[in-house]
Amino acid sequence: MIELSCKELSSSIYDSLKEKTQKFIDKGNRAPGLAVVTVGDDEASRLYVKTKTEKAAYLGYVGFQYFLNGDSREDEVVSLIETLNRDDRVDGILLQLPLPKHLDEKRIIEHISSDKDVDGFTSANMGRMVKGEECFIPCTPKGILTILSHFGVSTSGKRITVVGRSDIVGKPLALLLMGKGYDATVSVANSKTKDLRALTLSSDIVISAVGKPMFLDSSYFSDGTVIIDVGINRISDPTRKRGWRTVGDVDRESLSQRDVSITPVPGGVGLMTVASLMENTFISRERRG
Ligand code: NDP
């Protein structure tokens, strides 16, 4: 098993972004601004937001953080987003998901101005992406494309199975991979898919975004398969002080003696998602002039 660690790759993206940002500021330009909106006090979200704001600060971006109470009304969240849409110092608006259950995520996301939608979640961005027009590519799919390119994994003419069809990972990723330039033949599986194993066994690349630990074991993969494990799952682990650890969707132990390549969890797609967010924020800053 070959491990496709993304630590060096993400570090090199940060190094190059930091340099680009410094040069940009040295020319007298305003630094890129990233606003992060958190609603409620979800522990995992808090950690993600901390990582994102730290990375933004490292790169020399200006960070704006907003914490709204978990019982905030939809109009209060929307009002903050609209204020940020009008704020010229802000190039990217990140609404940390998931939102508390009483809020309509999809409806709220639509209020983010598409030119600041660095997550690429609005319908306007998705529509442009489908048509191959200028847009923000959603961060996790973008990170996965970067991983494939970095490790020299060509997608042209390859059979790829994407397991999962969410709006933020599976669906946009499948659309990108089947598009011109990537030219893959893509199957997208969901919870009703029959005989998933037959699909994955006949695929050159398998990308799993399901959210179930140990979901795919060795029996799902043929020799030579490139596996991108998007899943982030917490499982209990009494050997750890905190009592849990993070694993992906793939049962890695079962693959240890197999001829496959796989991204680790942690240290894989998650790192690239944040790096892609920072790339999108810089792109937004440049586009906004
Ligand atoms: P969702 O829960 O929105 O989607 C999961 C998908 O998996 C659904 O489409 C579901 O099908 C499908 N699925 C469930 N069971 C099966 C099955 N038995 N066979 C085939 N498909 C199945 O999750 P997300 O896409 O938001 O996230 C997926 C995972 O990726 C999570 O662990 C999440 O934490 C992680 N993640 C990681 C990121 C990173 O940066 N590394 C970023 C975003 C997410 P159906 O539509 O029929 O319900």
Side-chain angles (χ1 to χ4, degrees):
M1 180 177 90
I2 298 171
E3 182 160 280
L4 306 175
S5 169
C6 300
K7 284 188 187 147
E8 275 180 28
L9 172 58
S10 59
S11 295
S12 75
I13 290 174
Y14 289 124
D15 288 347
S16 119
L17 266 181
K18 191 174 164 69
E19 203 183 311
K20 259 168 54 176
T21 304
Q22 194 53 56
K23 280 191 184 148
F24 188 74
I25 295 169
D26 288 347
K27 281 188 193 151
N29 295 303
R30 173 179 61 75
L34 177 64
V36 182
V37 178
T38 314
V39 188
D41 197 22
D42 177 71
E43 192 200 342
S45 291
R46 218 177 328 132
L47 266 176
Y48 290 135
V49 168
K50 187 167 173 276
T51 309
K52 288 166 186 169
T53 41
E54 280 173 3
K55 288 297 179 203
Y58 169 76
L59 296 175
Y61 296 1
V62 179
F64 304 89
Q65 285 194 62
Y66 300 87
F67 296 96
L68 298 180
N69 286 333
D71 58 0
S72 298
R73 293 189 318 269
E74 190 166 318
D75 64 301
E76 292 172 317
V77 185
V78 168
S79 161
L80 172 57
I81 288 174
E82 283 173 349
T83 303
L84 296 172
N85 284 342
R86 290 190 298 270
D87 189 335
D88 283 337
R89 300 166 307 164
V90 173
D91 304 295
I93 301 173
L94 175 83
L95 179 64
Q96 185 61 42
L97 303 179
L99 295 179
K101 294 257 178 298
H102 69 283
L103 296 172
D104 186 330
E105 251 173 44
K106 286 194 177 183
R107 208 161 53 199
I108 293 177
I109 284 169
E110 291 306 321
H111 288 272
I112 299 173
S113 168
S114 65
D115 68 333
K116 297 189 179 186
D117 174 26
V118 284
D119 255 335
F121 289 166
T122 58
S123 303
N125 250 307
M126 286 283 181
R128 286 180 204 143
M129 194 192 76
V130 172
K131 291 183 154 191
E133 294 170 4
E134 184 178 277
C135 65
F136 290 111
I137 297 176
C139 300
T140 303
K142 177 173 174 143
I144 292 168
L145 297 178
T146 307
I147 293 171
L148 293 172
S149 149
H150 172 77
F151 288 105
V153 181
S154 158
T155 53
S156 178
K158 300 284 174 63
R159 275 171 301 192
I160 301 184
T161 295
V162 177
V163 194
R165 58 175 167 186
S166 72
D167 287 352
I168 61 170
V169 189
K171 205 181 287 175
L173 181 60
L175 284 165
L176 289 161
L177 289 167
M178 67 188 250
K180 284 232 182 296
Y182 293 102
D183 305 314
T185 303
V186 184
S187 304
V188 186
N190 60 68
S191 60
K192 309 287 190 299
T193 296
K194 296 220 166 59
D195 204 359
L196 175 62
R197 195 176 275 104
L199 281 179
T200 56
L201 279 173
S202 63
S203 295
D204 306 292
I205 301 169
V206 175
I207 302 170
S208 181
V210 172
K212 292 183 183 171
M214 317 291 167
F215 179 65
L216 301 173
D217 65 18
S218 174
S219 69
Y220 281 82
F221 305 105
S222 298
D223 282 345
T225 306
V226 174
I227 307 164
I228 306 291
D229 192 351
V230 187
I232 298 180
N233 308 294
R234 216 180 246 198
I235 59 166
S236 85
D237 183 348
T239 67
R240 302 278 172 104
K241 200 173 158 197
R242 60 189 178 191
W244 55 267
R245 71 189 155 98
T246 305
V247 297
D249 290 344
V250 179
D251 178 0
R252 303 172 62 78
E253 266 177 45
S254 71
L255 289 164
S256 60
Q257 301 304 316
R258 292 286 310 279
D259 169 23
V260 293
S261 307
I262 179 168
T263 54
V265 179
V269 177
L271 294 179
M272 296 307 297
T273 297
V274 183
S276 301
L277 172 72
M278 298 305 152
E279 288 182 318
N280 278 354
T281 304
F282 191 82
I283 292 170
S284 175
R285 175 66 193 90
E286 283 188 314
R287 277 187 196 155
R288 286 164 37 74

